[in-house]
Amino acid sequence: MEFHSLLKSINLHCFIGLAVRLLLMIFGIYQDTVSRVKYTDIDYFVFTDAAHYVTLGDSPYRRPTYRYTPILAWILTPNIYVHACCGKVLFVLCDIIVGYIIYHLVLLMQSKAARRGSTEYQDSVGLAVFCASLWLYNPLTAGVSSRGNAESLLSVLVLLVLYCLTSQRRTAHIAAFMLYGLTVHMKIYPIIYSLPLYLAYQKQHASKNSSVFSKIYVLLRPTWGRLALVVVSVSTFLILTGACYWLYGDEFLHETYLYHITRRDIRHNFSVYFYALYLTEGTAIAPILSLAAFVPQVVLILTASLRYHQDLPFTCFVNTFVFVTFNKVCTSQYFLWYLCFLPLIVPRLNISCCRAVALTLAWFAAQALWLAPAYYLEFEGVDTYVYIWLAGMLFFMVNVTILYNIVTNYTPKVFVLGRMDDAKIKSS
């Protein structure tokens, strides 16, 4: 095989990405034994402890700070029965699967009408490999998964929803709706994709001369595809949630869902709200500020969903970027929520290489400026709260600048769903 052809092999890049992550995982085991700055994410120990309680027939919520569905604890029981690194291996493999799904999604979106083996198809293969490489060789994604964070598992589920929606088979769409219900059950934030998913099944548009009510009706009217989306995804969510509630009761509902709505994390994080929540903790204004933080998110997410819903990957990226940037709690693993969509929109992003590199460097530099005072607070006991907040403000401004550049330089394209129209469902 020629070297040029080898570079276009997604299997090769997935293998290299896997090797890098496994090496990082092995290095992390060594660092955990010799350094007080642990490589393994603290959440991984929380997952493992919860899995331990599950193996004893007990509730995973006996482990303080376990704020996840019990399904995650069940999945990680091999940490107890086999080896403590089994969960890390799973998350690393999910990380590679994300890259593989990105490759196939980009290839599908770029070369749907191209003949296999043609020059156009080969160009699409090269572009798809490049886009997948943006994920596979991203040091942040490699670091997060090898440290034992479970975000790559959610990325797999979300991207599988998009991939199934491109199929011409009705069963694939039903599978997508079930996966979406599972995804929201696993973590509540993907509910921000519900409106664009619903609107994506729009088969006709109101004329420019139509009244406002006619436009709203055409935009929101039920179709067979939309009804299937709502019924299947909601049913899947309720069945899973009901089963977990039956097993663990109110404790499950509070720790998995309600906690995240009322959460006021006063520990240092990237959020611009962190310092205000820290200073107002224990006062009457704290819960008001906590709830008010949702307003910018809701307004911007609704706006993006209504404007860009025909381009599902782009809408999902914008909604997630807004959700993370304006969230009252923001940590490094949250970035993976939108980074898995970024490679899907790169082919239609009209930004020069110089600007793209500059924005990327600014993004990493702003994080580095935040990490410096955070280290002195966490490990040296120095009061650096103000510096952390200022660095968080800078990071917020960098993120807003990046989002502005992406939105203004992106050419939207209709994300072609597979056939899930009224005629097909009625005839089946």
Side-chain angles (χ1 to χ4, degrees):
M1 183 182 292
E2 296 181 0
F3 181 71
H4 180 70
S5 300
L6 192 64
L7 289 178
K8 288 188 177 182
S9 170
I10 184 61
N11 293 332
L12 172 66
H13 292 283
C14 286
F15 176 80
I16 295 173
L18 177 61
V20 169
R21 285 160 175 77
L22 290 177
L23 287 173
L24 285 172
M25 194 181 78
I26 295 170
F27 168 78
I29 296 173
Y30 167 75
Q31 180 174 326
D32 288 347
T33 61
V34 300
S35 175
R36 64 173 177 168
V37 181
K38 304 301 180 184
Y39 185 83
T40 300
D41 195 309
I42 185 62
D43 283 346
Y44 190 71
F45 298 112
V46 174
F47 301 156
T48 303
D49 289 346
H52 172 69
Y53 285 118
V54 166
T55 61
L56 298 176
D58 212 334
S59 168
Y61 303 104
R62 280 195 59 191
R63 190 351 171 148
T65 72
Y66 183 76
R67 318 287 188 189
Y68 311 90
T69 171
I71 292 177
L72 182 59
W74 301 340
I75 291 173
L76 295 181
T77 51
N79 280 15
I80 310 303
Y81 291 126
V82 183
H83 193 277
C85 286
C86 284
K88 288 185 180 180
V89 173
L90 172 64
F91 300 149
V92 163
L93 289 175
C94 286
D95 217 21
I96 302 304
I97 293 172
V98 169
Y100 199 70
I101 298 173
I102 288 171
Y103 166 80
H104 283 285
L105 271 172
V106 173
L107 186 59
L108 191 64
M109 291 188 292
Q110 292 298 312
S111 63
K112 203 158 190 176
R115 182 173 56 84
R116 193 174 183 87
S118 64
T119 303
E120 182 182 355
Y121 182 83
Q122 291 301 320
D123 290 342
S124 298
V125 169
L127 179 61
V129 169
F130 170 75
C131 291
S133 298
L134 294 177
W135 175 273
L136 292 170
Y137 297 128
N138 188 324
L140 181 62
T141 62
V144 169
S145 62
S146 61
R147 293 182 65 217
N149 196 281
E151 302 307 331
S152 58
L153 182 60
L154 266 294
S155 298
V156 168
L157 294 174
V158 170
L159 292 181
L160 277 178
V161 171
L162 290 181
Y163 185 75
C164 289
L165 291 178
T166 64
S167 174
Q168 298 295 325
R169 296 176 179 271
R170 188 181 68 165
T171 52
H173 285 245
I174 299 301
F177 304 156
M178 293 176 68
L179 283 169
Y180 182 59
L182 169 62
T183 304
V184 177
H185 169 81
M186 293 291 289
K187 224 165 200 180
I188 198 69
Y189 85 86
I191 201 170
I192 63 177
Y193 311 137
S194 56
L195 181 58
L197 280 171
Y198 182 86
L199 295 177
Y201 280 96
Q202 185 177 5
K203 294 300 179 183
Q204 67 180 70
H205 300 271
S207 63
K208 293 182 179 179
N209 297 325
S210 300
S211 65
V212 174
F213 293 105
S214 296
K215 290 179 179 178
I216 294 174
Y217 172 74
V218 171
L219 184 67
L220 300 178
R221 73 182 183 91
T223 64
W224 285 106
R226 288 174 169 179
L227 287 174
L229 165 65
V230 173
V231 171
V232 175
S233 59
V234 171
S235 297
T236 303
F237 173 80
L238 290 178
I239 289 171
L240 293 171
T241 304
C244 293
Y245 180 78
W246 180 71
L247 289 171
Y248 303 112
D250 292 337
E251 189 178 38
F252 153 72
L253 282 182
H254 178 266
E255 298 296 340
T256 306
Y257 301 121
L258 301 179
Y259 166 80
H260 296 283
I261 297 174
T262 59
R263 178 182 183 184
R264 297 191 300 272
D265 196 335
I266 61 172
R267 286 181 58 83
H268 53 287
N269 62 84
F270 288 101
S271 174
V272 290
Y273 299 108
F274 138 71
Y275 197 46
L277 291 172
Y278 170 76
L279 293 176
T280 58
E281 177 64 16
T283 67
I285 198 174
I288 299 174
L289 178 61
S290 180
L291 292 175
F294 287 114
V295 175
Q297 288 177 311
V298 172
V299 172
L300 291 171
I301 287 171
L302 286 177
T303 302
S305 298
L306 292 171
R307 182 167 183 177
Y308 300 113
H309 62 268
Q310 289 185 305
D311 191 334
L312 265 180
F314 183 64
T315 312
C316 290
F317 170 81
V318 173
N319 282 4
T320 315
F321 198 102
V322 165
F323 181 82
V324 172
T325 301
F326 288 82
N327 203 34
K328 56 187 175 182
V329 179
C330 180
T331 58
S332 296
Q333 59 261 33
Y334 290 14
F335 305 153
L336 271 67
W337 297 356
Y338 59 76
L339 285 177
C340 66
F341 295 113
L342 181 59
L344 302 180
I345 70 173
V346 163
R348 302 191 66 79
L349 200 54
N350 305 308
I351 293 181
S352 66
C353 290
C354 291
R355 183 183 294 187
V357 170
L359 290 173
T360 302
L361 291 176
W363 189 72
F364 278 109
Q367 291 181 61
L369 288 174
W370 182 92
L371 287 170
Y375 170 84
Y376 280 102
L377 174 64
E378 184 78 16
F379 296 101
E380 303 295 337
V382 180
D383 183 359
T384 58
Y385 281 102
V386 174
Y387 298 104
I388 291 173
W389 174 68
L390 290 173
M393 291 291 289
L394 175 63
F395 186 56
F396 174 80
M397 289 186 286
V398 169
N399 278 313
V400 171
T401 302
I402 291 173
L403 183 60
Y404 172 80
N405 276 269
I406 290 176
V407 170
T408 56
N409 291 283
Y410 180 79
T411 305
K413 180 182 179 181
V414 175
F415 182 76
V416 180
L417 299 177
R419 292 180 60 82
M420 185 69 178
D421 53 31
D422 298 359
K424 182 164 185 177
I425 294 181
K426 287 178 180 178
S427 63
S428 50

